[in-house]
Amino acid sequence: MQVFGLVLVPWVGLLGFLFPRAWAKAIALIVSLVDLALFVTLLAHTGPGVNWNWIPELGIHFHLAADGLGLFLVGLSTVLVPAVILASPRAERPAYYFWILVSESAALGVFLAQDLVSFYVFWEVVLIPIFFLLSGWAGENGHATALRWLIMNLFGSFFMLIGVVAVGMIHQTQTGHLTFQLASLAATNFHGAAGPWLFIAFLVAFMIKAPLWPLHGWMPSAYGESPPPVTALISGVLSKLGVFGMLRVLVPLFYPQMRAWEPWLIALAAVGLVYGAVIALRGRDVKMTAAYASLSHMGMISLGIFSLTTAGAVGATFYMVAHGLMAGGLFLLLGWLERGTGSRALSGLSGLNRRLPRLSAWFQLFALAMLGLPGLAGFAGEYMIFQGLIRANVAAAVVAGVVLIVASWYMIRLFQGAMQSTPREEAAAVDLNFGQVGLIGVLAALVVLLGVWPAAITGHVGTLRPSPYHVVALVRQGGSAQ
Amino acid sequence: MINPVLEPELLMGLGVLATLILAMVVRERSNAAYWSGLVFAVAAGVRSYTLHPTSHLVGGMMVADGYGLVVNIMVTAAVVAGLLLAFDSERYTVEFPALLLLAGLGGMIMGLAANFILLFLGLELLSLPLYILAASRRDARSAEAGIKYLLTGAFSSGVLLFGMALLYGSTGTVTFINYTTLHLVPVLLGAGLALVIVGLGYKLAMVPFHMWVPDVYEGSPTPVATFMAFGTKVAAAAALLRVLAFGFSLTSGVWGLALGYFAVLTMLAGNLMALPQRDLKRLLAWSGVGNAGYVLVGIASHTVSGAQAALFYLLPYGMAVVLAFAVIRVLEGQQEGAQMEDLTGLAHREPWLAAGLTVALLSLAGIPLTAGFFGKFYLIKGALQGDQWGMAIGLVVATLVSLGVYFRPIQYMFRPGEGRPARWSVGAAVVVAGAGLATLFIGVYPEPLLHFVAQAATFTWLR
């Protein structure tokens, strides 16, 4: 029942509409902390979850359970959402907090769903709160940004809906039993003429949501114009939905197609990896640099999955969590930087380590984590992904290695440009306050913890079924991965 | 003793008489006629629900099976919505309830008809009061709506009659079920069936027989447009499905493919033409055209799932469109209709109204947790069961286009600024609350309704 509680509790945020506006933030924070507490109980004891016969007429179950793939992404969401709420302005309207909580609920639903239709329902519900957040809070062009986000994502999702229905019906013709349980679908054979098309439908939807090159068209405006806490939410939590979907749906259901197209998939992800890094390197805007760095990292995670090795899958799972913490923290810091100095153009920022010593120090930590410094969370994930990638495709591993060098380059360029050069003007700048330091400190502590003790995640998920350790190995043997 | 299967129709007929007599007695506008109309319409709906369905032909004319009863319930719901929206407004005259109930009675008869004669009677009984109602506002646009509706309606009736005549001439029978056993002359069958589909296609707003829809919806009083959007569409779709699934299920090779193309064309054209609309009633009219295409997908797929999906889809669509029209009714006040700009800032001025319209539009767009999602899900399942991938893809593309239609009004509502003030009435509030909650409830837990409708629309001779 905890898993159902996790999805349900954020809706309590509706209470925010009943109380005075000044209370909205506090109510949202309490609600999100309750969710975090539920995750902690889940860590202690991963129950069987809930499996209700939701719509027997159509063979749809409401099946939520925490497993090795989703458990720590649930953790990431429940940690990051309170941070996002804390970092938001106090006087924001109740609707703002409500939409953040709804997006949390939907994201948790995706991470926990074990039934393809449940998965799809949550997958689409995620779009609506972000649509409203972008529409109302992403500045002058928010409406266009929001529509682009919605239409691009639903383009993928609607074709995926055909895929969802078709997958269920192919299962029905093979077994005489209509179900959308992922565990049952994994045993189905999609070798028919429809197989590749279904695979493409799912793949495109996942690639758009992540986003992965070349389907990242919604990303620049959505990342660039939304308020920093919302950027942190999208980049930290929601971008994981796409790559998570690959691990959850594509690998167990479409392993033969993935195997057949593996070189192309790897090439696609590698191009995205390079593309994001190159744009980040040329960026003149700190937030956009971080956004394209994030795009590049999505390419890295999907490389781990496309390598179709156990190490790659485990590395991707780990790196999703690590990247969520790092990107979330980095975008929050950049938001404070913009608010403190009034500028986010790289040319307008210089010598901040003297003017903003605290912000500069924390920024340094997160930049180093992003570029994959050993001892911080990014490194452990990248290492495991490399391990898988070298076994699958040496050329791609070489490309990824080069990109890691570029990544250090753009991150250091960002850091040096904004922080280290001599200050040009002595305009007033506001450094982090006590609360902000505490908030970023918690995220930083987790980044360090995962860096020095990755087994906290990789060890724990191994005890669960299904887990990233078994997803690839089992489909390879022809058994059920779920 | 009257056959109990006719009791819903009897109740509706009594309602017509009662409201007519009240109109005579009271003479000026009073709420008595509305109240009695409401009571009889609700009673007819409840009786349809409690009635035990049978699959016997009554007098070779009608079948009060589960399918017909579901159609009855939907049509009475449309009547109730129309009455509630017109309830405490000075502008709707005392004949209004009688005419609306009469149209509803026609729609109910179309749902039961198993015979072309009765189908035609039902269609005319549905249409004639609507011609009057469309023109009942005393201004130029309403008169235009009335005359346009009358002309296209008369024309489509003629086309339908001609088709019926060809089919009768070819076989000597007008009862649907007999067409499955008799040998049909191919030319007469093709021509007759085509004309029947065209005739019903006019009422359903199937492209290319849809041109009357935007003008008529825009010009008609909003409660009347509400009934047209829901009640007329349900009756026409139900009749079309009944004709095709009852009488011509074995000759689906003749009509299945053509209807599939019309379905895709209707979905795409309706949603594309809805994109540039700024008048909300015209927007909903074009959306109604697009949604007629969705229903046609279910019919054209010619599968059990497809028939079930077509019938089920009418309900989420109907509730959403009734909800949207109710919001327009609250916004329009004394002046008829509402523009996109009138919505500006609605979320801040009238949060409940904005929430209602948001739910309606999300449901029309097929977003999960609203009823529309399962409607689309079911339709895709129906299309795939018939191995009609093209229709499923057409449906998805059309829905993608419709996002631009349905999310623009939402953005206007959440934009800061001053739009038109709202004038709530009790009737409209009841409709907004009822349709909104039902849309959300079905979106979260559709099983009871889905099961009910699926049982009703299981034609065993389909694949």
Side-chain angles (χ1 to χ4, degrees):
Chain A
M1 286 305 284
Q2 299 130 302
V3 288
F4 186 57
L6 274 167
V7 174
L8 199 63
V9 163
W11 292 87
V12 177
L14 274 173
L15 282 178
F17 290 106
L18 300 181
F19 289 96
R21 185 163 163 171
W23 296 19
K25 184 171 175 177
I27 290 171
L29 186 63
I30 292 168
V31 169
S32 63
L33 287 176
V34 170
D35 239 18
L36 179 58
L38 276 174
F39 166 69
V40 173
T41 66
L42 206 60
L43 265 187
H45 174 70
T46 318
V50 295
N51 188 1
W52 292 320
N53 210 348
W54 187 13
I55 310 171
E57 196 66 42
L58 297 174
I60 298 170
H61 286 249
F62 187 82
H63 190 177
L64 300 181
D67 61 16
L69 298 178
L71 178 64
F72 282 95
L73 286 165
V74 170
L76 168 68
S77 319
T78 51
V79 167
L80 213 51
V81 168
V84 163
I85 290 172
L86 268 174
S88 300
R90 185 182 299 275
E92 215 45 275
R93 290 203 300 273
Y96 172 87
Y97 295 106
F98 175 65
W99 292 126
I100 286 182
L101 289 173
V102 171
S103 71
E104 180 187 16
S105 165
L108 291 176
V110 173
F111 293 142
L112 293 167
Q114 305 289 338
D115 178 282
L116 193 53
V117 178
S118 309
F119 178 90
Y120 184 84
V121 165
F122 287 115
W123 173 270
E124 253 192 33
V125 169
V126 167
L127 302 177
I128 302 305
I130 301 300
F131 169 81
F132 280 109
L133 283 172
L134 292 176
S135 206
W137 284 272
E140 287 291 297
N141 295 323
H143 294 95
T145 307
L147 266 186
R148 193 175 307 137
W149 151 266
L150 190 82
I151 290 176
M152 276 203 73
N153 274 292
L154 281 178
F155 174 84
S157 299
F158 282 156
F159 283 101
M160 181 167 119
L161 179 59
I162 298 185
V164 169
V165 178
V167 158
M169 295 190 64
I170 290 174
H171 181 79
Q172 190 185 18
T173 48
Q174 285 180 11
T175 63
H177 180 58
L178 181 63
T179 181
F180 293 91
Q181 298 272 14
L182 281 165
S184 314
L185 294 177
T188 314
N189 178 349
F190 299 110
H191 287 201
W197 296 104
L198 298 179
F199 171 65
I200 290 174
F202 279 98
L203 179 71
V204 167
F206 294 151
M207 284 179 69
I208 292 174
K209 188 72 132 280
L212 282 173
W213 181 88
L215 300 173
H216 63 285
W218 60 266
M219 189 201 76
S221 58
Y223 277 39
E225 286 165 31
S226 55
V230 176
T231 317
L233 180 73
I234 299 177
S235 149
V237 177
L238 303 185
S239 69
K240 306 301 168 299
L241 297 174
V243 270
F244 174 77
M246 294 180 183
L247 211 49
R248 169 71 91 209
V249 178
L250 285 187
V251 175
L253 265 59
F254 295 103
Y255 182 79
Q257 284 83 1
M258 288 188 89
R259 179 48 95 201
W261 295 2
E262 191 185 346
W264 297 104
L265 293 173
I266 286 186
L268 199 67
V271 171
L273 183 75
V274 175
Y275 174 86
V278 170
I279 303 269
L281 190 58
R282 298 170 53 86
R284 299 178 190 288
D285 173 319
V286 288
K287 202 173 177 189
M288 294 317 290
T289 304
Y292 279 98
S294 197
L295 179 70
S296 180
H297 286 129
M298 286 299 121
M300 180 68 97
I301 295 174
S302 53
L303 272 182
I305 297 169
F306 293 153
S307 76
L308 294 175
T309 55
T310 298
V314 177
T317 315
F318 181 86
Y319 199 44
M320 276 189 243
V321 180
H323 178 263
L325 293 170
M326 297 185 306
L330 191 65
F331 277 112
L332 290 182
L333 280 171
L334 291 177
W336 292 324
L337 175 69
E338 189 184 342
R339 193 145 32 124
T341 61
S343 167
R344 60 181 227 212
L346 205 46
S347 57
L349 300 168
S350 54
L352 291 180
N353 58 355
R354 259 172 255 161
R355 287 157 65 202
L356 306 173
R358 286 195 292 274
L359 194 148
S360 172
W362 290 108
F363 184 86
Q364 183 168 19
L365 178 76
F366 278 87
L368 290 176
M370 280 289 246
L371 65 79
L373 189 76
L376 296 173
F379 174 75
E382 280 171 2
Y383 178 81
M384 284 183 275
I385 290 174
F386 262 90
Q387 205 185 338
L389 205 52
I390 285 173
R391 206 167 300 162
N393 192 322
V394 177
V398 172
V399 173
V402 172
V403 168
L404 281 189
I405 299 169
V406 180
S408 338
W409 188 359
Y410 63 67
M411 272 299 158
I412 288 172
R413 170 174 170 268
L414 193 61
F415 181 73
Q416 285 187 327
M419 304 294 170
Q420 285 188 325
S421 51
T422 48
R424 255 170 261 162
E425 84 272 34
E426 287 297 328
V430 189
D431 205 353
L432 298 187
N433 62 30
F434 185 70
Q436 288 165 337
V437 169
L439 179 58
I440 206 70
V442 171
L443 294 180
L446 288 170
V447 168
V448 174
L449 175 73
L450 292 184
V452 296
W453 188 37
I457 287 184
T458 56
H460 194 107
V461 296
T463 63
L464 302 169
R465 293 289 181 283
S467 82
Y469 289 97
H470 307 92
V471 163
V472 179
L474 278 175
V475 281
R476 204 175 255 174
Q477 291 156 14
S480 161
Q482 299 281 330
Chain B
M1 190 57 210
I2 194 158
N3 195 324
V5 298
L6 287 176
E7 278 174 14
E9 283 69 26
L10 187 69
L11 281 168
M12 208 65 165
L14 285 176
V16 175
L17 290 179
T19 47
L20 271 180
I21 291 169
L22 277 170
M24 259 188 330
V25 174
V26 179
R27 284 188 182 282
E28 80 260 26
R29 193 193 186 289
S30 91
N31 278 338
Y34 284 82
W35 274 116
S36 66
L38 263 184
V39 167
F40 278 103
V42 169
V46 171
R47 187 69 191 107
S48 305
Y49 180 74
T50 55
L51 204 59
H52 191 69
T54 62
S55 50
H56 298 297
L57 274 180
V58 181
M61 290 293 245
M62 55 166 64
V63 205
D65 55 357
Y67 179 77
L69 295 178
V70 170
V71 173
N72 277 0
I73 294 171
M74 288 202 248
V75 172
T76 47
V79 171
V80 169
L83 285 176
L84 283 173
L85 290 186
F87 206 82
D88 40 11
S89 164
E90 293 301 314
R91 288 180 304 148
Y92 302 110
T93 50
V94 70
E95 312 87 38
F96 182 91
L99 290 170
L100 197 63
L101 259 69
L102 201 57
L105 181 59
M108 291 165 78
I109 290 176
M110 282 174 80
L112 301 183
N115 170 312
F116 271 124
I117 302 296
L118 196 65
L119 171 61
F120 188 73
L121 286 179
L123 185 70
E124 289 301 292
L125 198 55
L126 170 71
S127 304
L128 289 173
L130 283 180
Y131 301 147
I132 306 170
L133 285 172
S136 66
R137 226 176 60 220
R138 290 180 193 84
D139 64 24
R141 278 200 312 178
S142 182
E144 180 198 335
I147 199 80
K148 267 191 180 148
Y149 199 31
L150 174 67
L151 288 177
T152 53
F155 183 67
S156 68
S157 296
V159 171
L160 180 64
L161 266 181
F162 191 33
M164 285 159 51
L166 290 179
L167 289 174
Y168 179 68
S170 150
T171 59
T173 180
V174 284
T175 306
F176 301 157
I177 201 76
N178 291 345
Y179 293 119
T180 50
T181 51
L182 290 173
H183 175 71
L184 293 149
V185 183
V187 177
L188 288 182
L189 165 73
L193 197 54
L195 291 174
V196 166
I197 290 176
V198 169
L200 288 172
Y202 264 105
K203 287 287 169 216
L204 186 62
M206 178 173 93
V207 173
F209 315 110
H210 65 287
M211 291 309 296
W212 57 276
V213 178
D215 292 339
V216 171
Y217 280 24
E218 188 193 6
S220 304
T222 305
V224 179
T226 311
F227 178 79
M228 286 178 193
F230 187 13
T232 309
K233 191 147 307 198
V234 167
L240 186 61
L241 180 57
R242 175 89 88 184
V243 171
L244 295 176
F246 246 61
F248 300 94
S249 60
L250 298 179
T251 43
S252 66
V254 179
W255 54 266
L257 190 65
L259 203 62
Y261 281 112
F262 276 119
V264 173
L265 186 66
T266 307
M267 287 189 292
L268 288 176
N271 285 320
L272 279 174
M273 286 302 295
L275 273 178
Q277 305 300 331
R278 304 203 70 80
D279 182 300
L280 292 178
K281 278 164 90 175
R282 288 187 81 87
L283 186 143
L284 286 175
W286 282 110
S287 141
V289 173
N291 278 292
Y294 291 111
V295 177
L296 284 174
V297 166
I299 300 177
S301 72
H302 199 59
T303 56
V304 176
S305 284
Q308 292 168 342
L311 187 62
F312 177 74
Y313 187 75
L314 287 166
L315 203 70
Y317 159 72
M319 284 187 309
V321 84
V322 162
L323 183 51
F325 270 117
V327 172
I328 294 176
R329 182 77 193 87
V330 174
L331 272 180
E332 69 185 3
Q334 287 307 310
Q335 196 186 336
E336 198 68 31
Q339 304 294 314
M340 196 83 89
E341 287 75 18
D342 296 336
L343 294 175
T344 312
L346 196 68
H348 310 296
R349 284 178 288 129
E350 295 280 343
W352 290 108
L353 200 58
L357 189 54
T358 306
V359 167
L361 294 170
L362 289 181
S363 184
L364 285 171
I367 302 295
L369 302 189
T370 60
F373 170 69
F374 287 108
K376 300 243 159 74
F377 187 94
Y378 214 155
L379 282 171
I380 292 179
K381 179 168 178 282
L384 292 191
Q385 197 170 51
D387 227 7
Q388 305 270 13
W389 292 80
M391 280 204 296
I393 290 169
L395 190 149
V396 160
V397 172
T399 309
L400 210 53
V401 173
S402 78
L403 294 177
V405 179
Y406 300 129
F407 278 85
R408 261 183 333 135
I410 293 181
Q411 290 193 323
Y412 269 98
M413 283 192 285
F414 286 86
R415 216 171 259 186
E418 280 304 307
R420 207 195 286 187
R423 286 157 200 255
W424 283 94
S425 66
V426 179
V430 171
V431 175
V432 170
L437 289 177
T439 301
L440 288 176
F441 178 77
I442 297 174
V444 174
Y445 189 54
E447 172 60 20
L449 191 79
L450 215 58
H451 185 72
F452 183 63
V453 172
Q455 292 297 312
T458 304
F459 300 122
T460 43
W461 47 85
L462 295 178
R463 258 184 291 161

